[in-house]
Amino acid sequence: MVRQTASSAAPASRPSTPPADDPEEGINVQDILKLKAAAINTVSGVSMTTRRQLLKIKGMSEAKVEKIKGSSFATGLEIQEKRKRVLTISTGSKNVDTILGVYGEFRTGKTQMAHTMSVISQLPPDMGGASGKVAYIDTEGTFRPDRIRSIADRFGVDGDMALENILYARAWNSEHQMELINECSMRFAEDKDYRLLIVDSIMALFRTDFSGRGELSERQQKLAQMLSKLSKLSEEYNVTSHLAVHLAPPIDRFEPPDRYTDDESTDPGATMTFVAGGALKPIGGHILSHASATRMFLRKGRAEERVAKLVDSPDRPESEASYKLDEGGWADV
């Protein structure tokens, strides 16, 4: 009788690799790469994406989508801890900091504010910064490296280092603008040091790509998708989104509708209200207004003085502050 020993026993079969599409095993590397190709780079990004959009990604089954979605609920204490990560970036003017999308008249410093914040965000928190890098999407060709150097000198920062910490891209159309925002998502996932995303200005390319009331609906739909993406980026990577917006000229309520330009028809309901003096409105309409958590209106004051008015904020009352523009960017009067 031969006793079967461990050495003479039939070799045990190796554990089989679980199928790639087994929902119990989550997702594989190929699925992760597909998600990244769709500008979904984090677990939070998956939660922020609709199931319908996830199912459009090749290889994503309903079972797999349900598995990776998970729960989005958290306790109030967990949210409180999360809010402690929120950083405040100075505008360069302490007066304006006390009142904090920015919109305003011509030459009120919208682009200068973007340049100033590009430098300040790199400073430590005790100097009003966030110790982080900046992503700058320029839609009008107004970014000036020499201006960054002048502002860096004001704060004692090396100009080359300040410029090195700014990731810059020039957008040429609204579609390209969205592609750059998606690319920012991938870069933020790879480099956790980014703290500020600037789009100057958010509406410029939409105004040239879509004209007249006939294309207004499509324009506003694409704008809403872009603003939604920016909002999700801010939540996902703890990044501040700074959007500069131009103003539309006042509308004469007695003008026939077919004479409105695309700027004037941004808010189709504007003709229903008469405002003495013809109040200027930010281009982008209600969609842009609702997408911004904090909005400031910039206008000219006396001489070199400029005035920033807090129009909407979830945690601050309506107020005004004065500032000026000099070689060092935004500064107190």
Side-chain angles (χ1 to χ4, degrees), residues 222-240:
K222 291 185 179 297
L223 173 62
Q225 293 171 350
M226 182 176 293
L227 293 172
S228 175
K229 181 65 177 181
L230 288 169
S231 177
K232 291 173 182 176
L233 278 182
S234 296
E235 288 282 340
E236 196 173 352
Y237 301 106
N238 194 27
V239 172
T240 298

Side-chain angles (χ1 to χ4, degrees), residues 146 174 189 213 281:
D146 290 343
S174 57
R213 296 182 69 89
K281 292 193 174 187

Side-chain angles (χ1 to χ4, degrees), residues 70-86:
S71 174
S72 300
F73 280 101
T75 67
L77 284 175
E78 289 172 335
I79 298 301
Q80 185 182 43
E81 288 300 312
K82 184 178 179 180
R83 289 292 301 172
K84 290 180 180 178
R85 296 170 47 219
V86 175

Side-chain angles (χ1 to χ4, degrees), residues 152-195:
D153 289 342
R154 168 189 169 186
F155 294 99
V157 177
D158 179 73
D160 288 341
M161 184 180 70
L163 288 168
E164 182 67 26
N165 288 328
I166 299 174
L167 180 69
Y168 172 85
R170 175 77 157 92
W172 299 102
N173 54 64
S174 57
E175 184 176 321
H176 185 213
Q177 186 173 328
M178 188 64 174
E179 291 172 357
L180 292 174
I181 292 172
N182 285 331
E183 184 177 342
C184 282
S185 175
M186 291 184 282
R187 290 181 179 268
F188 293 170
E190 297 169 356
D191 189 342
K192 307 298 184 182
D193 291 334
Y194 284 95
R195 288 293 174 264

